[in-house]
Structures are given as C-alpha cells and as structure tokens.
Amino acid sequence: MHEHLESSRLVKSLSPKVVTLIEQESNTNTTPFFPRFLETLDYYTAIFESIDVKLPRKHKGRINVEQHCLARDVVNIIACEGAARVERHEVLGKWRSRFLKAGFMPFPLSPFVNATIKTLLESYCKNYRLEERDGALYLGWINRTLVASSAWH
C-alpha cells in the first residue's frame, strides 16, 4: 500500500485538473490464495455471464477477448504469486483512502452523463446495473459490482 500512496502523492504533485480512476471492483491484490480464488471465480463468472447475453460463444471478437484478455488475467491472478502476479485488483475503498491521504478531493460526477449511461445500459440488457454512491459510479451485473469509476482533483 505504501507504494500506491507514494504514487498517488507523485500524481498530486503534478497538479492535475482531474484524475479519473476506473478499476475492477474486486480485491485480488493482498488476499491469500483461497479467498483470492473465490473472489476471482465470483468476479469472472459475472463478467462471462454478462458477455454471454449479447455475444454468441463462437463470435470471433468474444473469443479474442476471452483468450487474450480475460483468460490471461484469470490465470495470472490464480496461478501466480509474488512479482509474477501482475493483475492485482483493488476495491475503490482502498483507492479512495490513498487519494484522500495524498490530498485529492472527490470531483463531482455529471448527473446527465450518469443518467445517459444508465439509459443505454438498460436498453442493452436489464441485468446490468449502474449505481452512483459516495461520489463514484459503479457498474454491475445482476448483484455483482464489476467496475467502479471516480474522479478526483
């Protein structure tokens, strides 16, 4: 965590107008193997289910994403330890703490943009959900939050 806090402070020292954070809402960074395995299973089950709704399993684009992105992430999270494990997701709460300690303040999200995204998702599939909570936007599938996005200044 110390390393992430230092990175956040370095970014703050650059005086950016806005910093946007978009992160998988999953904790696979510091957890021991078995809880990490269960978290990964739950998270990627929801990801694959959400893809299943609109793309047939034989669709080339889907196969490409599954093989070259998702499968590599899952293998890295489950099978690798130490420096070899580069996929280390963290929940927004951990990032929020780091950003606040580094001197960032939450930047308000646009209600118009949020409403537009929600409408688009609902027209795409009713199982997607979008929730604004604590100044962040959470994208989910059924009852599982998948991605959190926030802005800071």
Side-chain angles (χ1 to χ4, degrees), residues 8-115:
S8 300
R9 286 184 175 144
L10 175 63
V11 170
K12 181 67 175 169
S13 74
L14 299 173
S15 301
K17 290 186 187 231
V18 177
V19 174
T20 304
L21 175 70
I22 302 171
E23 173 75 333
Q24 293 91 336
E25 188 67 1
S26 173
N27 184 16
T28 61
N29 185 22
T30 58
T31 54
F33 174 76
F34 190 64
R36 187 173 76 231
F37 172 80
L38 293 176
E39 175 75 2
T40 302
L41 178 64
D42 181 55
Y43 181 83
Y44 283 95
T45 295
I47 291 285
F48 284 108
E49 284 177 359
S50 72
I51 293 171
D52 226 18
V53 170
K54 291 291 183 177
L55 288 177
R57 293 192 177 177
K58 301 227 184 245
H59 186 277
K60 282 187 177 199
R62 175 184 174 153
I63 292 168
N64 227 3
V65 167
E66 288 178 349
Q67 287 179 347
H68 300 292
C69 298
L70 300 176
R72 286 183 185 190
D73 289 356
V74 171
V75 168
N76 187 264
I77 292 168
I78 299 299
C80 298
E81 292 293 345
R85 185 160 52 92
V86 295
E87 287 299 325
R88 296 175 174 269
H89 308 157
E90 292 188 313
V91 294
L92 181 57
K94 289 184 177 183
W95 285 105
R96 180 184 311 279
S97 175
R98 286 185 198 118
F99 277 140
L100 290 171
K101 285 179 183 175
F104 284 99
M105 296 301 297
F107 191 81
L109 301 171
S110 164
F112 175 75
V113 171
N114 295 353

